[in-house]
PDB file of all heavy atoms in Angstrom:
ATOM      1  N   ILE A 133      -7.374   3.876  25.092  1.00 88.00           N
ATOM      2  CA  ILE A 133      -6.369   3.909  24.026  1.00 88.00           C
ATOM      3  C   ILE A 133      -5.447   2.724  24.260  1.00 88.00           C
ATOM      4  O   ILE A 133      -4.951   2.530  25.364  1.00 88.00           O
ATOM      5  CB  ILE A 133      -5.528   5.190  24.034  1.00 88.00           C
ATOM      6  CG1 ILE A 133      -6.411   6.423  23.941  1.00 88.00           C
ATOM      7  CG2 ILE A 133      -4.523   5.174  22.899  1.00 88.00           C
ATOM      8  CD1 ILE A 133      -5.629   7.720  24.028  1.00 88.00           C
ATOM      9  N   GLU A 134      -5.239   1.934  23.224  1.00 89.00           N
ATOM     10  CA  GLU A 134      -4.329   0.797  23.308  1.00 89.00           C
ATOM     11  C   GLU A 134      -3.073   1.121  22.510  1.00 89.00           C
ATOM     12  O   GLU A 134      -3.151   1.407  21.321  1.00 89.00           O
ATOM     13  CB  GLU A 134      -4.983  -0.457  22.712  1.00 89.00           C
ATOM     14  CG  GLU A 134      -6.239  -0.896  23.414  1.00 89.00           C
ATOM     15  CD  GLU A 134      -6.969  -2.001  22.658  1.00 89.00           C
ATOM     16  OE1 GLU A 134      -6.379  -2.612  21.732  1.00 89.00           O
ATOM     17  OE2 GLU A 134      -8.136  -2.228  22.991  1.00 89.00           O
ATOM     18  N   TYR A 135      -1.951   1.087  23.189  1.00 87.00           N
ATOM     19  CA  TYR A 135      -0.662   1.248  22.533  1.00 87.00           C
ATOM     20  C   TYR A 135      -0.069  -0.149  22.399  1.00 87.00           C
ATOM     21  O   TYR A 135      -0.005  -0.882  23.389  1.00 87.00           O
ATOM     22  CB  TYR A 135       0.273   2.121  23.366  1.00 87.00           C
ATOM     23  CG  TYR A 135      -0.194   3.546  23.508  1.00 87.00           C
ATOM     24  CD1 TYR A 135      -1.052   3.918  24.525  1.00 87.00           C
ATOM     25  CD2 TYR A 135       0.239   4.515  22.616  1.00 87.00           C
ATOM     26  CE1 TYR A 135      -1.473   5.227  24.665  1.00 87.00           C
ATOM     27  CE2 TYR A 135      -0.173   5.836  22.741  1.00 87.00           C
ATOM     28  CZ  TYR A 135      -1.029   6.185  23.770  1.00 87.00           C
ATOM     29  OH  TYR A 135      -1.442   7.475  23.897  1.00 87.00           O
ATOM     30  N   ALA A 157       2.979  -0.651  16.868  1.00 83.00           N
ATOM     31  CA  ALA A 157       1.897  -0.962  15.925  1.00 83.00           C
ATOM     32  C   ALA A 157       0.896   0.188  15.981  1.00 83.00           C
ATOM     33  O   ALA A 157       1.125   1.183  16.670  1.00 83.00           O
ATOM     34  CB  ALA A 157       1.239  -2.285  16.324  1.00 83.00           C
ATOM     35  N   GLN A 158      -0.210   0.037  15.289  1.00 83.00           N
ATOM     36  CA  GLN A 158      -1.199   1.100  15.289  1.00 83.00           C
ATOM     37  C   GLN A 158      -1.748   1.330  16.690  1.00 83.00           C
ATOM     38  O   GLN A 158      -1.840   0.423  17.487  1.00 83.00           O
ATOM     39  CB  GLN A 158      -2.351   0.784  14.320  1.00 83.00           C
ATOM     40  CG  GLN A 158      -3.384  -0.203  14.833  1.00 83.00           C
ATOM     41  CD  GLN A 158      -2.990  -1.648  14.657  1.00 83.00           C
ATOM     42  OE1 GLN A 158      -1.869  -1.966  14.280  1.00 83.00           O
ATOM     43  NE2 GLN A 158      -3.907  -2.543  14.951  1.00 83.00           N
ATOM     44  N   ARG A 159      -2.093   2.564  16.971  1.00 87.00           N
ATOM     45  CA  ARG A 159      -2.749   2.912  18.226  1.00 87.00           C
ATOM     46  C   ARG A 159      -4.242   2.681  18.008  1.00 87.00           C
ATOM     47  O   ARG A 159      -4.796   3.080  16.995  1.00 87.00           O
ATOM     48  CB  ARG A 159      -2.455   4.372  18.531  1.00 87.00           C
ATOM     49  CG  ARG A 159      -2.851   4.805  19.902  1.00 87.00           C
ATOM     50  CD  ARG A 159      -2.279   6.159  20.218  1.00 87.00           C
ATOM     51  NE  ARG A 159      -2.899   7.178  19.402  1.00 87.00           N
ATOM     52  CZ  ARG A 159      -2.960   8.457  19.735  1.00 87.00           C
ATOM     53  NH1 ARG A 159      -2.410   8.864  20.849  1.00 87.00           N
ATOM     54  NH2 ARG A 159      -3.534   9.327  18.955  1.00 87.00           N
ATOM     55  N   VAL A 160      -4.891   2.001  18.952  1.00 90.00           N
ATOM     56  CA  VAL A 160      -6.319   1.692  18.824  1.00 90.00           C
ATOM     57  C   VAL A 160      -7.072   2.512  19.860  1.00 90.00           C
ATOM     58  O   VAL A 160      -6.754   2.465  21.047  1.00 90.00           O
ATOM     59  CB  VAL A 160      -6.584   0.182  19.027  1.00 90.00           C
ATOM     60  CG1 VAL A 160      -8.073  -0.112  18.933  1.00 90.00           C
ATOM     61  CG2 VAL A 160      -5.806  -0.633  18.006  1.00 90.00           C
ATOM     62  N   MET A 161      -8.050   3.275  19.408  1.00 91.00           N
ATOM     63  CA  MET A 161      -8.863   4.120  20.273  1.00 91.00           C
ATOM     64  C   MET A 161     -10.283   3.575  20.294  1.00 91.00           C
ATOM     65  O   MET A 161     -10.911   3.452  19.247  1.00 91.00           O
ATOM     66  CB  MET A 161      -8.817   5.555  19.769  1.00 91.00           C
ATOM     67  CG  MET A 161      -7.403   6.112  19.828  1.00 91.00           C
ATOM     68  SD  MET A 161      -7.094   7.482  18.727  1.00 91.00           S
ATOM     69  CE  MET A 161      -6.851   6.649  17.176  1.00 91.00           C
ATOM     70  N   PRO A 188      -9.704   7.003   5.589  1.00 89.00           N
ATOM     71  CA  PRO A 188      -9.271   7.682   6.812  1.00 89.00           C
ATOM     72  C   PRO A 188      -9.924   9.049   6.946  1.00 89.00           C
ATOM     73  O   PRO A 188     -10.407   9.623   5.971  1.00 89.00           O
ATOM     74  CB  PRO A 188      -7.759   7.815   6.617  1.00 89.00           C
ATOM     75  CG  PRO A 188      -7.600   7.928   5.144  1.00 89.00           C
ATOM     76  CD  PRO A 188      -8.668   7.033   4.563  1.00 89.00           C
ATOM     77  N   GLY A 189      -9.915   9.552   8.141  1.00 89.00           N
ATOM     78  CA  GLY A 189     -10.436  10.888   8.409  1.00 89.00           C
ATOM     79  C   GLY A 189      -9.795  11.438   9.665  1.00 89.00           C
ATOM     80  O   GLY A 189      -9.108  10.729  10.403  1.00 89.00           O
ATOM     81  N   LEU A 191      -9.785  12.470  13.323  1.00 89.00           N
ATOM     82  CA  LEU A 191     -10.496  12.206  14.574  1.00 89.00           C
ATOM     83  C   LEU A 191     -10.049  13.259  15.570  1.00 89.00           C
ATOM     84  O   LEU A 191      -8.886  13.323  15.946  1.00 89.00           O
ATOM     85  CB  LEU A 191     -10.169  10.807  15.097  1.00 89.00           C
ATOM     86  CG  LEU A 191     -10.775  10.441  16.460  1.00 89.00           C
ATOM     87  CD1 LEU A 191     -12.306  10.465  16.409  1.00 89.00           C
ATOM     88  CD2 LEU A 191     -10.281   9.076  16.908  1.00 89.00           C
ATOM     89  N   TRP A 196      -7.744  13.200  23.724  1.00 74.00           N
ATOM     90  CA  TRP A 196      -6.670  12.588  22.954  1.00 74.00           C
ATOM     91  C   TRP A 196      -6.089  13.591  21.987  1.00 74.00           C
ATOM     92  O   TRP A 196      -6.721  14.576  21.619  1.00 74.00           O
ATOM     93  CB  TRP A 196      -7.192  11.421  22.121  1.00 74.00           C
ATOM     94  CG  TRP A 196      -7.768  10.283  22.865  1.00 74.00           C
ATOM     95  CD1 TRP A 196      -7.471   9.867  24.123  1.00 74.00           C
ATOM     96  CD2 TRP A 196      -8.779   9.392  22.383  1.00 74.00           C
ATOM     97  NE1 TRP A 196      -8.223   8.768  24.446  1.00 74.00           N
ATOM     98  CE2 TRP A 196      -9.030   8.464  23.391  1.00 74.00           C
ATOM     99  CE3 TRP A 196      -9.475   9.288  21.189  1.00 74.00           C
ATOM    100  CZ2 TRP A 196      -9.945   7.445  23.255  1.00 74.00           C
ATOM    101  CZ3 TRP A 196     -10.384   8.277  21.054  1.00 74.00           C
ATOM    102  CH2 TRP A 196     -10.622   7.363  22.074  1.00 74.00           C
ATOM    103  N   GLN A 197      -4.917  13.273  21.491  1.00 74.00           N
ATOM    104  CA  GLN A 197      -4.313  14.051  20.419  1.00 74.00           C
ATOM    105  C   GLN A 197      -5.127  13.826  19.141  1.00 74.00           C
ATOM    106  O   GLN A 197      -5.608  12.731  18.890  1.00 74.00           O
ATOM    107  CB  GLN A 197      -2.878  13.553  20.261  1.00 74.00           C
ATOM    108  CG  GLN A 197      -2.227  13.834  18.956  1.00 74.00           C
ATOM    109  CD  GLN A 197      -0.870  13.141  18.877  1.00 74.00           C
ATOM    110  OE1 GLN A 197      -0.341  12.639  19.852  1.00 74.00           O
ATOM    111  NE2 GLN A 197      -0.314  13.114  17.690  1.00 74.00           N
ATOM    112  N   THR A 198      -5.310  14.843  18.340  1.00 79.00           N
ATOM    113  CA  THR A 198      -5.992  14.716  17.056  1.00 79.00           C
ATOM    114  C   THR A 198      -5.168  13.793  16.169  1.00 79.00           C
ATOM    115  O   THR A 198      -3.949  13.887  16.138  1.00 79.00           O
ATOM    116  CB  THR A 198      -6.138  16.095  16.395  1.00 79.00           C
ATOM    117  OG1 THR A 198      -6.926  16.914  17.262  1.00 79.00           O
ATOM    118  CG2 THR A 198      -6.794  16.003  15.042  1.00 79.00           C
ATOM    119  N   SER A 199      -5.850  12.891  15.458  1.00 82.00           N
ATOM    120  CA  SER A 199      -5.096  11.952  14.638  1.00 82.00           C
ATOM    121  C   SER A 199      -5.842  11.598  13.363  1.00 82.00           C
ATOM    122  O   SER A 199      -7.060  11.736  13.279  1.00 82.00           O
ATOM    123  CB  SER A 199      -4.783  10.680  15.429  1.00 82.00           C
ATOM    124  OG  SER A 199      -5.971  10.023  15.793  1.00 82.00           O
ATOM    125  N   ASN A 200      -5.090  11.149  12.383  1.00 86.00           N
ATOM    126  CA  ASN A 200      -5.640  10.617  11.151  1.00 86.00           C
ATOM    127  C   ASN A 200      -5.998   9.173  11.456  1.00 86.00           C
ATOM    128  O   ASN A 200      -5.125   8.398  11.841  1.00 86.00           O
ATOM    129  CB  ASN A 200      -4.602  10.710  10.035  1.00 86.00           C
ATOM    130  CG  ASN A 200      -5.184  10.437   8.682  1.00 86.00           C
ATOM    131  OD1 ASN A 200      -6.353  10.698   8.444  1.00 86.00           O
ATOM    132  ND2 ASN A 200      -4.377   9.926   7.785  1.00 86.00           N
ATOM    133  N   ALA A 201      -7.272   8.803  11.350  1.00 90.00           N
ATOM    134  CA  ALA A 201      -7.692   7.493  11.815  1.00 90.00           C
ATOM    135  C   ALA A 201      -8.685   6.847  10.863  1.00 90.00           C
ATOM    136  O   ALA A 201      -9.339   7.517  10.075  1.00 90.00           O
ATOM    137  CB  ALA A 201      -8.318   7.617  13.205  1.00 90.00           C
ATOM    138  N   TYR A 202      -8.766   5.527  10.982  1.00 93.00           N
ATOM    139  CA  TYR A 202      -9.754   4.728  10.254  1.00 93.00           C
ATOM    140  C   TYR A 202     -10.820   4.280  11.254  1.00 93.00           C
ATOM    141  O   TYR A 202     -10.491   3.837  12.354  1.00 93.00           O
ATOM    142  CB  TYR A 202      -9.098   3.493   9.636  1.00 93.00           C
ATOM    143  CG  TYR A 202      -8.189   3.812   8.485  1.00 93.00           C
ATOM    144  CD1 TYR A 202      -6.880   4.201   8.707  1.00 93.00           C
ATOM    145  CD2 TYR A 202      -8.641   3.717   7.167  1.00 93.00           C
ATOM    146  CE1 TYR A 202      -6.040   4.504   7.646  1.00 93.00           C
ATOM    147  CE2 TYR A 202      -7.804   4.008   6.109  1.00 93.00           C
ATOM    148  CZ  TYR A 202      -6.508   4.405   6.357  1.00 93.00           C
ATOM    149  OH  TYR A 202      -5.679   4.699   5.307  1.00 93.00           O
ATOM    150  N   PHE A 203     -12.074   4.394  10.866  1.00 95.00           N
ATOM    151  CA  PHE A 203     -13.211   3.960  11.687  1.00 95.00           C
ATOM    152  C   PHE A 203     -13.382   2.471  11.396  1.00 95.00           C
ATOM    153  O   PHE A 203     -13.896   2.103  10.350  1.00 95.00           O
ATOM    154  CB  PHE A 203     -14.439   4.757  11.255  1.00 95.00           C
ATOM    155  CG  PHE A 203     -15.592   4.763  12.212  1.00 95.00           C
ATOM    156  CD1 PHE A 203     -16.635   5.640  12.005  1.00 95.00           C
ATOM    157  CD2 PHE A 203     -15.663   3.921  13.303  1.00 95.00           C
ATOM    158  CE1 PHE A 203     -17.731   5.677  12.850  1.00 95.00           C
ATOM    159  CE2 PHE A 203     -16.742   3.942  14.170  1.00 95.00           C
ATOM    160  CZ  PHE A 203     -17.781   4.828  13.943  1.00 95.00           C
ATOM    161  N   VAL A 204     -12.933   1.587  12.291  1.00 95.00           N
ATOM    162  CA  VAL A 204     -12.878   0.155  11.974  1.00 95.00           C
ATOM    163  C   VAL A 204     -13.950  -0.698  12.646  1.00 95.00           C
ATOM    164  O   VAL A 204     -14.189  -1.817  12.203  1.00 95.00           O
ATOM    165  CB  VAL A 204     -11.489  -0.438  12.275  1.00 95.00           C
ATOM    166  CG1 VAL A 204     -10.430   0.195  11.403  1.00 95.00           C
ATOM    167  CG2 VAL A 204     -11.128  -0.300  13.738  1.00 95.00           C
ATOM    168  N   ALA A 222     -14.409   1.663  17.518  1.00 95.00           N
ATOM    169  CA  ALA A 222     -12.950   1.584  17.550  1.00 95.00           C
ATOM    170  C   ALA A 222     -12.396   2.316  16.333  1.00 95.00           C
ATOM    171  O   ALA A 222     -12.939   2.224  15.227  1.00 95.00           O
ATOM    172  CB  ALA A 222     -12.475   0.136  17.545  1.00 95.00           C
ATOM    173  N   PHE A 223     -11.346   3.073  16.565  1.00 94.00           N
ATOM    174  CA  PHE A 223     -10.596   3.747  15.508  1.00 94.00           C
ATOM    175  C   PHE A 223      -9.164   3.246  15.566  1.00 94.00           C
ATOM    176  O   PHE A 223      -8.618   3.040  16.653  1.00 94.00           O
ATOM    177  CB  PHE A 223     -10.590   5.273  15.716  1.00 94.00           C
ATOM    178  CG  PHE A 223     -11.905   5.930  15.502  1.00 94.00           C
ATOM    179  CD1 PHE A 223     -12.786   6.128  16.559  1.00 94.00           C
ATOM    180  CD2 PHE A 223     -12.281   6.356  14.246  1.00 94.00           C
ATOM    181  CE1 PHE A 223     -13.999   6.738  16.370  1.00 94.00           C
ATOM    182  CE2 PHE A 223     -13.497   6.970  14.040  1.00 94.00           C
ATOM    183  CZ  PHE A 223     -14.365   7.167  15.105  1.00 94.00           C
ATOM    184  N   TRP A 224      -8.549   3.051  14.411  1.00 91.00           N
ATOM    185  CA  TRP A 224      -7.128   2.725  14.337  1.00 91.00           C
ATOM    186  C   TRP A 224      -6.428   3.946  13.778  1.00 91.00           C
ATOM    187  O   TRP A 224      -6.802   4.456  12.714  1.00 91.00           O
ATOM    188  CB  TRP A 224      -6.872   1.548  13.418  1.00 91.00           C
ATOM    189  CG  TRP A 224      -7.267   0.219  13.959  1.00 91.00           C
ATOM    190  CD1 TRP A 224      -8.014  -0.043  15.073  1.00 91.00           C
ATOM    191  CD2 TRP A 224      -6.938  -1.046  13.392  1.00 91.00           C
ATOM    192  NE1 TRP A 224      -8.165  -1.393  15.221  1.00 91.00           N
ATOM    193  CE2 TRP A 224      -7.516  -2.032  14.212  1.00 91.00           C
ATOM    194  CE3 TRP A 224      -6.220  -1.435  12.280  1.00 91.00           C
ATOM    195  CZ2 TRP A 224      -7.395  -3.384  13.937  1.00 91.00           C
ATOM    196  CZ3 TRP A 224      -6.095  -2.778  12.003  1.00 91.00           C
ATOM    197  CH2 TRP A 224      -6.677  -3.744  12.848  1.00 91.00           C
ATOM    198  N   GLU A 225      -5.401   4.388  14.481  1.00 88.00           N
ATOM    199  CA  GLU A 225      -4.654   5.545  14.013  1.00 88.00           C
ATOM    200  C   GLU A 225      -3.805   5.154  12.817  1.00 88.00           C
ATOM    201  O   GLU A 225      -3.109   4.142  12.848  1.00 88.00           O
ATOM    202  CB  GLU A 225      -3.767   6.081  15.124  1.00 88.00           C
ATOM    203  CG  GLU A 225      -2.981   7.307  14.715  1.00 88.00           C
ATOM    204  CD  GLU A 225      -2.141   7.847  15.847  1.00 88.00           C
ATOM    205  OE1 GLU A 225      -1.552   7.040  16.591  1.00 88.00           O
ATOM    206  OE2 GLU A 225      -2.076   9.069  15.974  1.00 88.00           O
ATOM    207  N   GLY A 226      -3.864   5.956  11.754  1.00 81.00           N
ATOM    208  CA  GLY A 226      -3.031   5.723  10.581  1.00 81.00           C
ATOM    209  C   GLY A 226      -1.703   6.412  10.754  1.00 81.00           C
ATOM    210  O   GLY A 226      -1.622   7.528  11.264  1.00 81.00           O
ATOM    211  N   TYR A 227      -0.643   5.741  10.363  1.00 68.00           N
ATOM    212  CA  TYR A 227       0.675   6.359  10.427  1.00 68.00           C
ATOM    213  C   TYR A 227       0.922   7.072   9.110  1.00 68.00           C
ATOM    214  O   TYR A 227       0.947   6.453   8.060  1.00 68.00           O
ATOM    215  CB  TYR A 227       1.763   5.315  10.670  1.00 68.00           C
ATOM    216  CG  TYR A 227       3.140   5.927  10.692  1.00 68.00           C
ATOM    217  CD1 TYR A 227       3.527   6.739  11.747  1.00 68.00           C
ATOM    218  CD2 TYR A 227       4.024   5.736   9.650  1.00 68.00           C
ATOM    219  CE1 TYR A 227       4.766   7.328  11.767  1.00 68.00           C
ATOM    220  CE2 TYR A 227       5.268   6.319   9.659  1.00 68.00           C
ATOM    221  CZ  TYR A 227       5.635   7.113  10.726  1.00 68.00           C
ATOM    222  OH  TYR A 227       6.869   7.705  10.739  1.00 68.00           O
ATOM    223  N   ASP A 228       1.118   8.383   9.174  1.00 57.00           N
ATOM    224  CA  ASP A 228       1.296   9.147   7.942  1.00 57.00           C
ATOM    225  C   ASP A 228       2.747   9.512   7.667  1.00 57.00           C
ATOM    226  O   ASP A 228       3.041  10.278   6.768  1.00 57.00           O
ATOM    227  CB  ASP A 228       0.432  10.405   7.948  1.00 57.00           C
ATOM    228  CG  ASP A 228       0.781  11.360   9.076  1.00 57.00           C
ATOM    229  OD1 ASP A 228       1.749  11.104   9.814  1.00 57.00           O
ATOM    230  OD2 ASP A 228       0.085  12.379   9.211  1.00 57.00           O
ATOM    231  N   HIS A 230       4.883  11.351   9.306  1.00 35.00           N
ATOM    232  CA  HIS A 230       5.333  12.711   9.584  1.00 35.00           C
ATOM    233  C   HIS A 230       6.624  12.685  10.390  1.00 35.00           C
ATOM    234  O   HIS A 230       6.927  11.722  11.071  1.00 35.00           O
ATOM    235  CB  HIS A 230       4.257  13.511  10.305  1.00 35.00           C
ATOM    236  CG  HIS A 230       4.049  13.102  11.730  1.00 35.00           C
ATOM    237  ND1 HIS A 230       3.258  12.025  12.085  1.00 35.00           N
ATOM    238  CD2 HIS A 230       4.543  13.611  12.877  1.00 35.00           C
ATOM    239  CE1 HIS A 230       3.272  11.890  13.384  1.00 35.00           C
ATOM    240  NE2 HIS A 230       4.034  12.835  13.893  1.00 35.00           N
ATOM    241  N   TRP A 266      -2.214  15.907   4.652  1.00 84.00           N
ATOM    242  CA  TRP A 266      -2.868  15.972   5.950  1.00 84.00           C
ATOM    243  C   TRP A 266      -1.848  16.298   7.044  1.00 84.00           C
ATOM    244  O   TRP A 266      -2.076  17.154   7.896  1.00 84.00           O
ATOM    245  CB  TRP A 266      -3.569  14.641   6.256  1.00 84.00           C
ATOM    246  CG  TRP A 266      -4.208  14.654   7.597  1.00 84.00           C
ATOM    247  CD1 TRP A 266      -5.437  15.113   7.914  1.00 84.00           C
ATOM    248  CD2 TRP A 266      -3.626  14.225   8.830  1.00 84.00           C
ATOM    249  NE1 TRP A 266      -5.672  14.995   9.256  1.00 84.00           N
ATOM    250  CE2 TRP A 266      -4.560  14.445   9.844  1.00 84.00           C
ATOM    251  CE3 TRP A 266      -2.404  13.670   9.176  1.00 84.00           C
ATOM    252  CZ2 TRP A 266      -4.326  14.133  11.172  1.00 84.00           C
ATOM    253  CZ3 TRP A 266      -2.172  13.361  10.502  1.00 84.00           C
ATOM    254  CH2 TRP A 266      -3.127  13.597  11.476  1.00 84.00           C
ATOM    255  N   ARG A 270      -1.648  19.741   9.351  1.00 87.00           N
ATOM    256  CA  ARG A 270      -1.646  19.656  10.812  1.00 87.00           C
ATOM    257  C   ARG A 270      -0.453  20.405  11.393  1.00 87.00           C
ATOM    258  O   ARG A 270      -0.587  21.161  12.356  1.00 87.00           O
ATOM    259  CB  ARG A 270      -1.611  18.191  11.235  1.00 87.00           C
ATOM    260  CG  ARG A 270      -1.632  18.018  12.754  1.00 87.00           C
ATOM    261  CD  ARG A 270      -1.304  16.621  13.171  1.00 87.00           C
ATOM    262  NE  ARG A 270       0.005  16.279  12.644  1.00 87.00           N
ATOM    263  CZ  ARG A 270       0.356  15.082  12.249  1.00 87.00           C
ATOM    264  NH1 ARG A 270      -0.482  14.091  12.305  1.00 87.00           N
ATOM    265  NH2 ARG A 270       1.558  14.850  11.775  1.00 87.00           N
TER     266      ARG A 270
END
Side-chain angles (χ1 to χ4, degrees):
I133 304 177
E134 299 171 14
Y135 295 88
Q158 79 277 8
R159 191 168 68 156
V160 178
M161 297 158 281
L191 176 62
W196 298 332
Q197 159 187 349
T198 299
S199 63
N200 192 29
Y202 289 84
F203 197 169
V204 297
F223 290 92
W224 286 11
E225 181 178 40
Y227 178 70
D228 62 5
H230 72 278
W266 178 86
R270 181 192 58 214

